[in-house]
Amino acid sequence: MNPAAFALLRLASPQLPIGGYSYSQGLEMAVERGQVSDEAAARCWLSDQLVLNLARFEAPLLLAHCHAASNQDWPELERLTACHRASRETRELRLESRQMGYSLKQLLDNLPELDQPARTFYQPIEEPGLALGWALAARAWGISPEDALTAWLWGWLENQLAVLMKTLPLGQQAAQRLTSQLLPTLEQAQRDATLIEPERWGSAAFGLALASMAHERQYSRLFRS
């Protein structure tokens, strides 16, 4: 197998110790409220997230981080990092990005693959979000920006399906059915994120933001806020 494939699997692995499994991104509250109550509703929620939110803003912003890191464009990477931090609509989403970004920074600080220019840039960043850490991990492990985006989208989908298996009566076979059904949408989201121009970045995921804000106050929950 090509070593690059191992690096890609490493980045996409749920074993990457950054705690992504502990967040639901509002999905737990959507289940609590009955907005997502079965397999069909879950497919609709995830499809809308991919096409109307991730593909229009989150994914192209992450891809831009990866390109800037790959090209050693540190001023642009700093600008994108500030943009990512400012775009977190809720306290919960900001804390999620900050905590996962911090965990990824701790990991990279203790690995030999990150080169000195990246370390010099990374060290003084006070709030290293997940997108920044992801981009620098891709740089450290020789993963192309496009493949890094693929790993991020796949990790997002896997995490959301894991949330559903814990909060709904949704078994592993149903989760695999959803994966098969959503793969074309995942590919579409990746393609759209690659083609969209920066001046057209943006989404208005009001339902997600409201679910995330409500999740911060949810009385009984499995996932972190």
Side-chain angles (χ1 to χ4, degrees):
M1 182 182 286
N2 190 316
F6 285 121
L8 185 60
L9 290 170
R10 181 183 187 183
L11 185 61
S13 172
Q15 297 301 314
L16 194 70
I18 58 175
Y21 61 86
S22 61
Y23 295 96
S24 77
Q25 297 196 347
L27 182 53
E28 184 176 22
M29 175 51 74
V31 172
E32 172 80 10
R33 288 178 164 177
Q35 293 171 276
V36 177
S37 56
D38 55 25
E39 189 176 332
R43 179 183 179 185
C44 182
W45 177 276
L46 297 178
S47 292
D48 284 353
Q49 269 271 70
L50 282 166
V51 175
L52 302 178
N53 181 30
L54 300 188
R56 294 181 178 181
F57 183 71
E58 299 285 346
L61 181 57
L62 179 108
L63 182 61
H65 276 76
C66 294
H67 277 297
S70 177
N71 296 330
Q72 299 193 71
D73 190 345
W74 309 123
E76 175 66 2
L77 188 54
E78 186 173 10
R79 185 190 71 82
L80 291 166
T81 298
C83 179
H84 184 267
R85 182 165 54 246
S87 70
R88 303 305 89 191
E89 300 100 327
T90 68
R91 179 176 179 271
E92 175 178 80
L93 293 174
R94 178 166 182 171
L95 289 175
E96 175 186 352
S97 178
R98 186 173 71 180
Q99 182 58 51
M100 292 175 67
Y102 175 79
S103 297
L104 193 45
K105 184 176 186 297
Q106 292 292 102
L107 171 66
L108 292 173
D109 280 346
N110 290 288
L111 293 176
E113 296 97 332
L114 192 65
D115 60 13
Q116 192 55 51
R119 289 184 188 276
T120 301
F121 171 80
Y122 210 7
Q123 277 305 126
I125 301 293
E126 294 183 0
E127 189 175 320
L130 176 60
L132 172 61
W134 199 268
L136 292 177
R139 172 187 172 87
W141 296 335
I143 299 169
S144 72
E146 290 74 19
D147 284 346
L149 175 60
T150 299
W152 181 79
L153 285 168
W154 176 254
W156 177 87
L157 180 60
E158 274 207 322
N159 180 64
Q160 293 286 281
L161 291 171
V163 171
L164 289 169
M165 285 191 287
K166 293 175 183 176
T167 55
L168 279 181
L170 187 77
Q172 292 181 337
Q173 290 192 20
Q176 288 299 316
R177 276 197 304 272
L178 279 172
T179 301
S180 294
Q181 293 164 1
L182 289 168
L183 279 178
T185 310
L186 201 68
E187 293 171 1
Q188 178 188 344
Q190 182 184 31
R191 184 167 57 252
D192 290 350
T194 302
L195 296 175
I196 190 171
E197 297 295 331
E199 58 269 20
R200 297 184 61 196
W201 291 358
S203 66
F206 298 121
L208 172 65
L210 291 171
S212 177
M213 286 189 287
H215 187 251
E216 294 174 8
R217 303 185 302 275
Q218 187 172 340
Y219 177 72
S220 176
R221 60 175 183 254
L222 297 172
F223 297 91
R224 294 176 66 178
S225 184

